[in-house]
Amino acid sequence: MSIKGIGYIVGAYEHPTRKATDKSISQLHAEVARGALEDAGLTKDDVDGYFCASDAPGHGPLNMVDYLNLRVRHIDATNTGGSSHMIHVAHAAQAIAAGKCSVALITLAGRPRSQGHEGGMIPRIDNPLQADFQWENPYGITTLNIYAMVAMRHMHEFGTTPEQLAWVKVACSHHAQHNPSAMLRDIVTVEDVVNSPLVSDPLHRLDCCVISDGGGALVVTSKDVAKNLSRPLVCLIGAGEAPKGQMAGNVDLSYSGAAWSGPRAFAEAGVTHQDIKYASIYDSFTITVVMQIEDLGFCEKGKGGAFVSDGNLIAGKGKFPINTDGGGLCNNHPMNRGGMTKVIEAVRQLRGEAHPAVQIPNCDIALAHGTGGGLGTRHGSATLILEREQ
């Protein structure tokens, strides 16, 4: 089912907190839901579809629909980690096209910082939702060393350097200085990144995303609903999703699932890479960005290190500005699920509502891409292409 021209993002809201010691996860979901609905000019009584992932407490949508006091006729609990909420946007458009709902609410919230999670530095634990980890736990698998392994392979295969990776962090820091909610607002240099402590060879501390509380929400509607609201028309014109795992032992760490989800999104949208004015690229680590830029087709495989260097990702300076809110590397990364904020910033850019210092002129087509899971084990990729209708 083609979703081009079906789903319109009419509401977007990012929670300003980065540490919520006085709030529950359910409360954060409620606050971002209210923010997105107010942004759209709608109320909870307009919502007839609800989408969330495993960051929602209990049984996901069952608990949250009850907590939010929603009366819906469609729910979706697709869970692919950091790409979940991007997939939700596409699934919402599909549900709207099928007549299952007309106003879809998508929420994300988490409190990993307040709950004392140490993110990628602690071993993964046995989890019935992550059955494969029982075979990997004896080797001390962590999020951090999974990505470090991928970075090391990329350096071996293509000659990528720590300095090239560092440019991703530098770009995000240039953008974060303009975001009053960002966790890290100081501009850093390449030297700052490569001289920060080595935490898992070859990744340094500043190659890693922040760990924050917070969340965000989106409202996706039919065109009939959207055109009667006062918000700019931001339409989903292309989407792709793809899982990538161990490939029955034929493991190749040099590429990600973006190599499949990206072409699908571009084909559905009917646009080229040259049409993309802005991109939100999932940045759990600097290597994540480099690989996804390659796999999405913005540069040749193996050339990502050179592509991101010398300020090419910095708005107003480079030719390929990304993550103008500061991204996961500097702004926020709640519950290890940064895909939601990638869509939110893409919507801001298309509406012309990004900070003036980083707003892309004449931004009419944007791409948002997310990765959930681990690039070195199994992950889900999701790519969205959005357009502002005049």
Coordinates of all heavy atoms in Angstrom, one line a residue, residues 19-106:
K19 N 16.1 15.7 32.8 CA 16.2 14.9 34.0 C 14.8 15.1 34.7 O 14.5 16.2 35.2 CB 17.3 15.3 34.9 CG 17.6 14.4 36.0 CD 18.9 14.6 36.7 CE 19.2 13.6 37.8 NZ 20.5 13.8 38.5
A20 N 14.1 14.0 34.8 CA 12.7 14.1 35.4 C 12.6 13.3 36.6 O 12.0 12.2 36.7 CB 11.7 13.7 34.3
T21 N 13.3 13.7 37.7 CA 13.2 13.0 38.9 C 11.9 13.0 39.6 O 11.6 12.1 40.5 CB 14.3 13.5 39.9 OG1 14.0 14.9 40.1 CG2 15.7 13.4 39.4
D22 N 11.0 13.9 39.2 CA 9.7 14.1 39.9 C 8.6 13.6 39.0 O 7.4 13.9 39.3 CB 9.5 15.6 40.3 CG 9.5 16.5 39.0 OD1 10.1 16.1 38.0 OD2 9.0 17.6 39.1
K23 N 8.8 12.9 37.9 CA 7.8 12.5 37.0 C 7.9 11.0 36.8 O 9.0 10.4 36.7 CB 7.8 13.2 35.7 CG 7.7 14.7 35.8 CD 7.9 15.4 34.4 CE 8.0 16.9 34.6 NZ 6.7 17.5 35.0
S24 N 6.7 10.3 36.6 CA 6.7 9.0 36.1 C 6.8 8.9 34.6 O 6.6 9.9 33.9 CB 5.4 8.3 36.6 OG 4.3 8.8 35.9
I25 N 7.1 7.7 34.1 CA 7.2 7.6 32.7 C 5.8 7.8 32.0 O 5.7 8.4 31.0 CB 7.7 6.2 32.3 CG1 9.2 6.0 32.7 CG2 7.5 5.9 30.8 CD1 9.8 4.7 32.4
S26 N 4.8 7.3 32.7 CA 3.4 7.6 32.2 C 3.1 9.0 32.1 O 2.5 9.5 31.2 CB 2.4 6.9 33.1 OG 2.5 5.5 33.0
Q27 N 3.5 9.8 33.2 CA 3.3 11.2 33.2 C 4.0 11.9 32.0 O 3.4 12.8 31.4 CB 3.7 11.8 34.5 CG 3.4 13.3 34.6 CD 3.8 13.9 35.9 OE1 4.1 13.2 36.9 NE2 3.8 15.2 36.0
L28 N 5.2 11.5 31.7 CA 5.9 12.0 30.6 C 5.2 11.8 29.3 O 5.1 12.6 28.4 CB 7.4 11.5 30.5 CG 8.3 12.0 31.6 CD1 9.6 11.2 31.5 CD2 8.6 13.5 31.5
H29 N 4.7 10.5 29.1 CA 3.9 10.2 27.9 C 2.7 11.2 27.8 O 2.4 11.7 26.7 CB 3.4 8.8 28.0 CG 4.4 7.8 27.5 ND1 4.5 7.5 26.1 CD2 5.3 7.0 28.1 CE1 5.4 6.5 26.0 NE2 5.9 6.2 27.2
A30 N 2.1 11.4 29.0 CA 0.9 12.3 28.9 C 1.2 13.7 28.6 O 0.5 14.4 27.8 CB 0.2 12.2 30.3
E31 N 2.4 14.2 29.1 CA 2.8 15.6 28.9 C 3.2 15.8 27.4 O 2.9 16.8 26.8 CB 3.9 16.0 29.8 CG 3.4 16.1 31.3 CD 4.5 16.4 32.3 OE1 5.7 16.6 31.8 OE2 4.2 16.5 33.5
V32 N 3.9 14.8 26.8 CA 4.2 15.0 25.4 C 3.0 14.9 24.5 O 2.9 15.5 23.5 CB 5.4 14.1 25.0 CG1 6.6 14.3 25.7 CG2 5.0 12.6 25.1
A33 N 2.1 14.0 24.9 CA 0.8 13.8 24.1 C 0.1 15.2 24.1 O -0.4 15.6 23.1 CB 0.0 12.7 24.7
R34 N -0.1 15.8 25.3 CA -0.8 17.0 25.4 C -0.1 18.1 24.5 O -0.7 18.9 23.8 CB -0.8 17.5 26.8 CG -1.6 18.8 27.0 CD -1.7 19.2 28.5 NE -0.3 19.4 29.1 CZ -0.1 19.5 30.4 NH1 -1.1 19.5 31.2 NH2 1.1 19.7 30.8
G35 N 1.3 18.1 24.6 CA 2.0 19.1 23.8 C 1.8 19.0 22.3 O 1.6 20.0 21.6
A36 N 1.8 17.7 21.8 CA 1.7 17.5 20.4 C 0.3 17.9 20.0 O 0.0 18.4 18.9 CB 2.0 16.1 20.0
L37 N -0.7 17.5 20.8 CA -2.1 17.8 20.4 C -2.4 19.3 20.4 O -3.1 19.8 19.5 CB -3.1 17.1 21.4 CG -3.2 15.6 21.2 CD1 -3.9 14.9 22.4 CD2 -3.9 15.2 19.9
E38 N -1.8 20.0 21.4 CA -2.0 21.4 21.4 C -1.3 22.1 20.2 O -1.8 23.0 19.7 CB -1.4 22.0 22.7 CG -2.3 21.7 24.0 CD -1.7 22.2 25.3 OE1 -0.5 22.6 25.2 OE2 -2.4 22.2 26.3
D39 N -0.1 21.5 19.9 CA 0.6 22.1 18.7 C -0.3 21.9 17.4 O -0.3 22.8 16.5 CB 1.9 21.3 18.5 CG 2.7 21.8 17.3 OD1 3.0 23.0 17.3 OD2 3.0 21.0 16.4
A40 N -1.0 20.8 17.4 CA -1.9 20.5 16.2 C -3.2 21.3 16.2 O -3.8 21.5 15.2 CB -2.2 19.0 16.1
G41 N -3.6 21.8 17.4 CA -4.9 22.4 17.5 C -6.0 21.4 17.7 O -7.2 21.6 17.3
L42 N -5.7 20.2 18.3 CA -6.6 19.1 18.5 C -6.7 18.8 20.0 O -5.9 19.3 20.8 CB -6.2 17.9 17.7 CG -6.2 18.0 16.2 CD1 -5.5 16.8 15.6 CD2 -7.6 18.1 15.7
T43 N -7.6 17.9 20.4 CA -7.7 17.5 21.8 C -7.7 16.0 21.8 O -7.7 15.3 20.7 CB -9.0 17.9 22.4 OG1 -10.1 17.2 21.9 CG2 -9.3 19.4 22.2
K44 N -7.6 15.4 23.0 CA -7.5 14.0 23.1 C -8.8 13.3 22.6 O -8.7 12.1 22.2 CB -7.3 13.6 24.6 CG -8.4 13.8 25.5 CD -8.1 13.3 26.9 CE -9.3 13.4 27.8 NZ -10.5 12.6 27.3
D45 N -9.9 14.0 22.6 CA -11.1 13.4 22.1 C -11.1 13.3 20.6 O -12.0 12.6 20.1 CB -12.3 14.3 22.6 CG -12.5 14.3 24.1 OD1 -12.1 13.3 24.7 OD2 -12.9 15.4 24.6
D46 N -10.2 13.9 19.9 CA -10.1 13.8 18.5 C -9.3 12.5 18.1 O -9.4 12.1 16.9 CB -9.4 15.0 17.8 CG -10.2 16.3 18.0 OD1 -11.4 16.3 17.7 OD2 -9.6 17.3 18.5
V47 N -8.5 12.0 19.0 CA -7.6 10.9 18.7 C -8.4 9.6 18.6 O -9.2 9.2 19.5 CB -6.6 10.7 19.8 CG1 -5.7 9.5 19.6 CG2 -5.7 12.0 19.9
D48 N -8.2 8.9 17.5 CA -8.8 7.6 17.3 C -7.8 6.5 17.0 O -8.2 5.3 16.7 CB -10.0 7.6 16.3 CG -9.5 8.0 14.9 OD1 -8.3 8.4 14.7 OD2 -10.4 8.0 14.0
G49 N -6.5 6.8 17.0 CA -5.5 5.8 16.8 C -4.3 6.1 17.8 O -3.9 7.3 17.9
Y50 N -3.7 5.1 18.4 CA -2.6 5.4 19.3 C -1.5 4.4 19.1 O -1.7 3.2 18.9 CB -3.1 5.2 20.8 CG -2.0 5.4 21.8 CD1 -1.4 6.7 21.9 CD2 -1.4 4.4 22.5 CE1 -0.3 6.9 22.8 CE2 -0.4 4.5 23.3 CZ 0.2 5.8 23.5 OH 1.2 6.0 24.3
F51 N -0.3 4.9 19.1 CA 0.9 4.2 18.8 C 2.0 4.4 19.8 O 2.3 5.5 20.2 CB 1.5 4.6 17.4 CG 0.6 4.4 16.2 CD1 -0.6 5.1 16.1 CD2 0.9 3.4 15.3 CE1 -1.4 4.9 15.0 CE2 0.1 3.2 14.2 CZ -1.1 3.9 14.0
C52 N 2.6 3.3 20.3 CA 3.7 3.4 21.2 C 4.6 2.2 21.1 O 4.2 1.2 20.5 CB 3.3 3.6 22.7 SG 2.4 2.2 23.4
A53 N 5.7 2.2 21.8 CA 6.7 1.0 21.8 C 6.9 0.6 23.2 O 6.1 0.9 24.1 CB 8.0 1.4 21.1
S54 N 7.9 -0.2 23.4 CA 8.1 -0.8 24.7 C 8.6 0.2 25.8 O 8.8 -0.2 26.9 CB 9.1 -2.0 24.6 OG 10.4 -1.5 24.2
D55 N 8.9 1.4 25.4 CA 9.2 2.4 26.4 C 7.9 2.7 27.2 O 8.1 3.2 28.4 CB 9.7 3.7 25.8 CG 8.8 4.3 24.7 OD1 8.8 3.8 23.6 OD2 8.0 5.2 25.1
A56 N 6.8 2.5 26.7 CA 5.5 2.7 27.5 C 5.4 1.6 28.5 O 5.8 0.4 28.3 CB 4.3 2.7 26.5
P57 N 4.9 1.9 29.7 CA 4.9 1.0 30.8 C 3.8 -0.1 30.6 O 2.9 0.0 29.8 CB 4.5 1.8 32.0 CG 3.8 3.0 31.5 CD 4.5 3.3 30.1
G58 N 4.0 -1.2 31.3 CA 3.0 -2.3 31.3 C 2.8 -2.9 29.9 O 3.8 -3.2 29.2
H59 N 1.6 -3.0 29.5 CA 1.3 -3.6 28.2 C 1.2 -2.6 27.1 O 0.4 -2.7 26.1 CB 0.0 -4.4 28.3 CG 0.1 -5.6 29.1 ND1 0.8 -6.7 28.8 CD2 -0.5 -5.8 30.4 CE1 0.7 -7.6 29.8 NE2 -0.1 -7.1 30.7
G60 N 2.0 -1.6 27.2 CA 2.1 -0.6 26.1 C 0.8 0.2 25.9 O 0.3 0.9 26.7
P61 N 0.2 0.0 24.7 CA -1.0 0.8 24.4 C -2.1 0.5 25.3 O -3.0 1.4 25.5 CB -1.3 0.4 22.9 CG -0.6 -0.9 22.7 CD 0.7 -0.8 23.6
L62 N -2.2 -0.7 25.8 CA -3.3 -1.0 26.7 C -3.3 -0.1 27.9 O -4.3 0.4 28.4 CB -3.3 -2.5 27.1 CG -3.4 -3.5 26.0 CD1 -3.5 -4.9 26.5 CD2 -4.6 -3.2 25.1
N63 N -2.1 0.0 28.5 CA -1.9 0.8 29.7 C -2.1 2.3 29.4 O -2.7 3.1 30.1 CB -0.6 0.6 30.4 CG -0.5 -0.8 31.0 OD1 -0.5 -1.8 30.4 ND2 -0.5 -0.8 32.4
M64 N -1.4 2.7 28.3 CA -1.4 4.2 28.0 C -2.7 4.7 27.5 O -3.1 5.8 27.8 CB -0.3 4.4 26.9 CG 1.1 4.3 27.5 SD 1.4 5.1 29.1 CE 0.9 6.8 28.7
V65 N -3.5 3.9 26.7 CA -4.8 4.4 26.3 C -5.7 4.6 27.5 O -6.4 5.6 27.6 CB -5.4 3.3 25.3 CG1 -6.9 3.6 25.2 CG2 -4.8 3.4 24.0
D66 N -5.5 3.7 28.5 CA -6.3 3.8 29.7 C -5.8 5.1 30.5 O -6.6 5.9 31.0 CB -6.2 2.6 30.6 CG -7.0 2.6 31.8 OD1 -8.1 3.2 31.7 OD2 -6.6 1.9 32.8
Y67 N -4.5 5.2 30.6 CA -3.9 6.3 31.4 C -4.3 7.7 30.8 O -4.6 8.6 31.5 CB -2.4 6.2 31.5 CG -1.7 7.2 32.3 CD1 -1.6 7.0 33.7 CD2 -1.2 8.3 31.8 CE1 -1.0 8.0 34.5 CE2 -0.5 9.3 32.6 CZ -0.4 9.1 33.9 OH 0.2 10.0 34.7
L68 N -4.3 7.7 29.5 CA -4.5 9.0 28.8 C -6.0 9.2 28.6 O -6.4 10.3 28.1 CB -3.8 9.0 27.4 CG -2.3 8.9 27.4 CD1 -1.8 8.7 26.0 CD2 -1.7 10.2 28.0
N69 N -6.8 8.2 28.9 CA -8.3 8.3 28.8 C -8.7 8.6 27.3 O -9.5 9.5 27.0 CB -8.9 9.4 29.7 CG -10.4 9.3 29.8 OD1 -11.0 8.2 29.6 ND2 -11.1 10.4 30.1
L70 N -8.1 7.7 26.4 CA -8.4 7.9 25.0 C -9.5 6.9 24.6 O -9.6 5.8 25.2 CB -7.2 7.6 24.2 CG -6.0 8.5 24.4 CD1 -4.8 8.0 23.6 CD2 -6.3 9.9 24.1
R71 N -10.3 7.2 23.6 CA -11.3 6.3 23.0 C -10.8 6.1 21.6 O -11.1 6.9 20.7 CB -12.7 6.9 23.1 CG -13.2 7.1 24.5 CD -14.5 7.8 24.5 NE -15.6 7.0 23.9 CZ -16.3 6.0 24.5 NH1 -16.1 5.8 25.8 NH2 -17.3 5.4 23.9
V72 N -10.1 5.0 21.3 CA -9.5 4.8 20.0 C -10.1 3.5 19.4 O -10.7 2.6 20.1 CB -8.0 4.6 20.1 CG1 -7.4 5.9 20.7 CG2 -7.6 3.4 21.0
R73 N -9.9 3.4 18.1 CA -10.4 2.2 17.3 C -9.2 1.5 16.7 O -9.4 0.5 15.9 CB -11.4 2.6 16.3 CG -11.1 3.7 15.4 CD -12.4 4.2 14.7 NE -12.1 5.3 13.8 CZ -12.0 5.2 12.4 NH1 -12.1 4.0 11.9 NH2 -11.7 6.2 11.7
H74 N -8.0 2.0 16.9 CA -6.8 1.4 16.3 C -5.6 1.6 17.2 O -5.4 2.7 17.7 CB -6.5 1.9 14.9 CG -5.4 1.2 14.3 ND1 -5.5 0.0 13.7 CD2 -4.1 1.6 14.1 CE1 -4.3 -0.4 13.1 NE2 -3.4 0.6 13.4
I75 N -4.8 0.5 17.5 CA -3.6 0.7 18.3 C -2.5 -0.1 17.6 O -2.7 -1.0 16.8 CB -3.7 0.1 19.7 CG1 -4.2 -1.4 19.7 CG2 -4.7 1.0 20.5 CD1 -4.2 -2.0 21.1
D76 N -1.2 0.3 17.9 CA 0.0 -0.3 17.3 C 1.1 -0.2 18.3 O 1.4 0.9 18.8 CB 0.3 0.4 16.0 CG 1.4 -0.3 15.2 OD1 2.4 -0.8 15.8 OD2 1.4 -0.2 14.0
A77 N 1.7 -1.4 18.6 CA 2.8 -1.4 19.5 C 4.1 -1.9 18.9 O 4.9 -2.6 19.6 CB 2.5 -2.3 20.7
T78 N 4.3 -1.7 17.6 CA 5.5 -2.1 16.9 C 6.7 -1.6 17.7 O 6.9 -0.4 18.1 CB 5.6 -1.5 15.5 OG1 4.4 -2.0 14.8 CG2 6.8 -1.8 14.8
N79 N 7.7 -2.5 17.9 CA 8.9 -2.2 18.7 C 10.1 -2.6 18.0 O 10.4 -3.8 17.9 CB 8.8 -2.9 20.1 CG 10.0 -2.5 21.0 OD1 10.4 -1.4 21.1 ND2 10.6 -3.5 21.5
T80 N 10.9 -1.6 17.5 CA 12.2 -1.9 16.9 C 13.2 -0.9 17.5 O 14.1 -0.4 16.8 CB 12.1 -1.7 15.4 OG1 11.6 -0.3 15.1 CG2 11.1 -2.7 14.7
G81 N 13.1 -0.7 18.8 CA 14.1 0.2 19.4 C 14.0 1.6 18.9 O 12.9 2.2 18.8
G82 N 15.2 2.2 18.6 CA 15.2 3.6 18.3 C 14.6 4.0 16.9 O 14.4 5.1 16.7
S83 N 14.2 3.0 16.1 CA 13.5 3.3 14.9 C 12.0 3.1 15.0 O 11.2 3.3 14.1 CB 14.0 2.4 13.8 OG 13.9 1.0 14.1
S84 N 11.5 2.7 16.2 CA 10.1 2.3 16.4 C 9.2 3.5 16.0 O 8.2 3.2 15.3 CB 9.8 2.0 17.9 OG 10.6 1.0 18.4
H85 N 9.5 4.7 16.5 CA 8.5 5.8 16.3 C 8.5 6.3 14.8 O 7.5 6.9 14.4 CB 8.7 6.8 17.3 CG 8.7 6.3 18.7 ND1 9.8 5.7 19.3 CD2 7.6 6.1 19.5 CE1 9.4 5.3 20.5 NE2 8.1 5.5 20.7
M86 N 9.6 6.1 14.1 CA 9.6 6.4 12.7 C 8.7 5.4 11.9 O 7.9 5.7 11.0 CB 11.0 6.3 12.1 CG 11.9 7.5 12.7 SD 13.5 7.4 12.0 CE 14.1 9.0 12.4
I87 N 8.8 4.1 12.3 CA 7.9 3.1 11.7 C 6.5 3.4 12.1 O 5.6 3.2 11.3 CB 8.3 1.7 12.2 CG1 9.7 1.3 11.5 CG2 7.3 0.6 11.9 CD1 10.2 -0.1 11.9
H88 N 6.2 3.9 13.3 CA 4.9 4.3 13.7 C 4.3 5.3 12.8 O 3.1 5.3 12.5 CB 4.9 4.8 15.1 CG 5.1 3.7 16.2 ND1 5.4 4.0 17.5 CD2 5.1 2.4 16.1 CE1 5.6 2.9 18.1 NE2 5.4 1.9 17.3
V89 N 5.1 6.3 12.3 CA 4.6 7.3 11.4 C 4.1 6.7 10.1 O 3.0 7.0 9.6 CB 5.7 8.4 11.1 CG1 5.2 9.3 10.0 CG2 6.1 9.1 12.4
A90 N 4.9 5.7 9.6 CA 4.5 5.1 8.4 C 3.3 4.2 8.6 O 2.4 4.2 7.8 CB 5.7 4.2 7.8
H91 N 3.3 3.5 9.7 CA 2.1 2.6 10.0 C 0.9 3.4 10.3 O -0.3 3.0 9.9 CB 2.4 1.7 11.3 CG 3.4 0.6 11.0 ND1 3.7 -0.4 11.9 CD2 4.2 0.4 9.9 CE1 4.5 -1.2 11.3 NE2 4.9 -0.8 10.1
A92 N 1.0 4.6 10.8 CA -0.1 5.5 11.0 C -0.7 5.9 9.7 O -1.9 5.9 9.5 CB 0.3 6.7 11.8
A93 N 0.1 6.2 8.7 CA -0.3 6.6 7.4 C -1.0 5.4 6.8 O -2.1 5.6 6.1 CB 0.8 7.1 6.6
Q94 N -0.5 4.2 6.9 CA -1.1 3.0 6.4 C -2.5 2.8 7.0 O -3.5 2.4 6.3 CB -0.2 1.8 6.6 CG 1.0 1.8 5.8 CD 2.0 0.7 6.2 OE1 1.9 0.1 7.3 NE2 3.0 0.5 5.4
A95 N -2.6 3.0 8.3 CA -3.9 2.8 9.0 C -4.9 3.8 8.6 O -6.1 3.5 8.4 CB -3.7 2.9 10.5
I96 N -4.4 5.1 8.3 CA -5.3 6.1 7.8 C -5.8 5.8 6.4 O -7.0 5.9 6.1 CB -4.6 7.5 7.9 CG1 -4.4 7.9 9.3 CG2 -5.3 8.5 7.1 CD1 -3.5 9.1 9.5
A97 N -4.9 5.3 5.6 CA -5.3 4.9 4.2 C -6.3 3.8 4.2 O -7.2 3.7 3.4 CB -4.0 4.5 3.4
A98 N -6.2 2.9 5.2 CA -7.1 1.7 5.3 C -8.4 2.1 6.0 O -9.3 1.2 6.2 CB -6.4 0.6 6.0
G99 N -8.5 3.3 6.5 CA -9.7 3.7 7.2 C -9.8 3.3 8.6 O -10.9 3.3 9.2
K100 N -8.7 2.9 9.2 CA -8.7 2.4 10.6 C -8.7 3.5 11.6 O -9.1 3.4 12.7 CB -7.4 1.5 10.8 CG -7.4 0.3 10.0 CD -8.5 -0.7 10.2 CE -8.3 -2.0 9.4 NZ -9.5 -2.9 9.7
C101 N -8.2 4.7 11.2 CA -8.2 5.9 12.1 C -8.0 7.1 11.2 O -7.7 7.0 10.0 CB -7.1 5.8 13.2 SG -5.4 5.7 12.6
S102 N -8.2 8.3 11.8 CA -8.0 9.5 11.1 C -7.1 10.5 11.8 O -6.5 11.4 11.2 CB -9.3 10.2 10.7 OG -10.0 10.5 11.9
V103 N -6.9 10.3 13.1 CA -6.0 11.1 14.0 C -5.2 10.1 14.8 O -5.7 9.6 15.8 CB -6.8 12.1 14.8 CG1 -5.9 12.9 15.7 CG2 -7.6 13.1 14.0
A104 N -4.0 10.0 14.5 CA -3.1 9.0 15.2 C -2.1 9.8 16.1 O -1.4 10.7 15.7 CB -2.3 8.2 14.2
L105 N -2.1 9.4 17.3 CA -1.1 9.9 18.3 C 0.0 8.9 18.6 O -0.2 7.8 18.8 CB -1.9 10.2 19.6 CG -1.0 10.6 20.8 CD1 -0.4 12.0 20.6 CD2 -1.9 10.7 22.1
I106 N 1.2 9.4 18.5 CA 2.4 8.6 18.7 C 3.2 9.2 19.8 O 3.6 10.4 19.8 CB 3.3 8.6 17.4 CG1 2.5 8.1 16.2 CG2 4.5 7.6 17.7 CD1 3.2 8.3 14.9

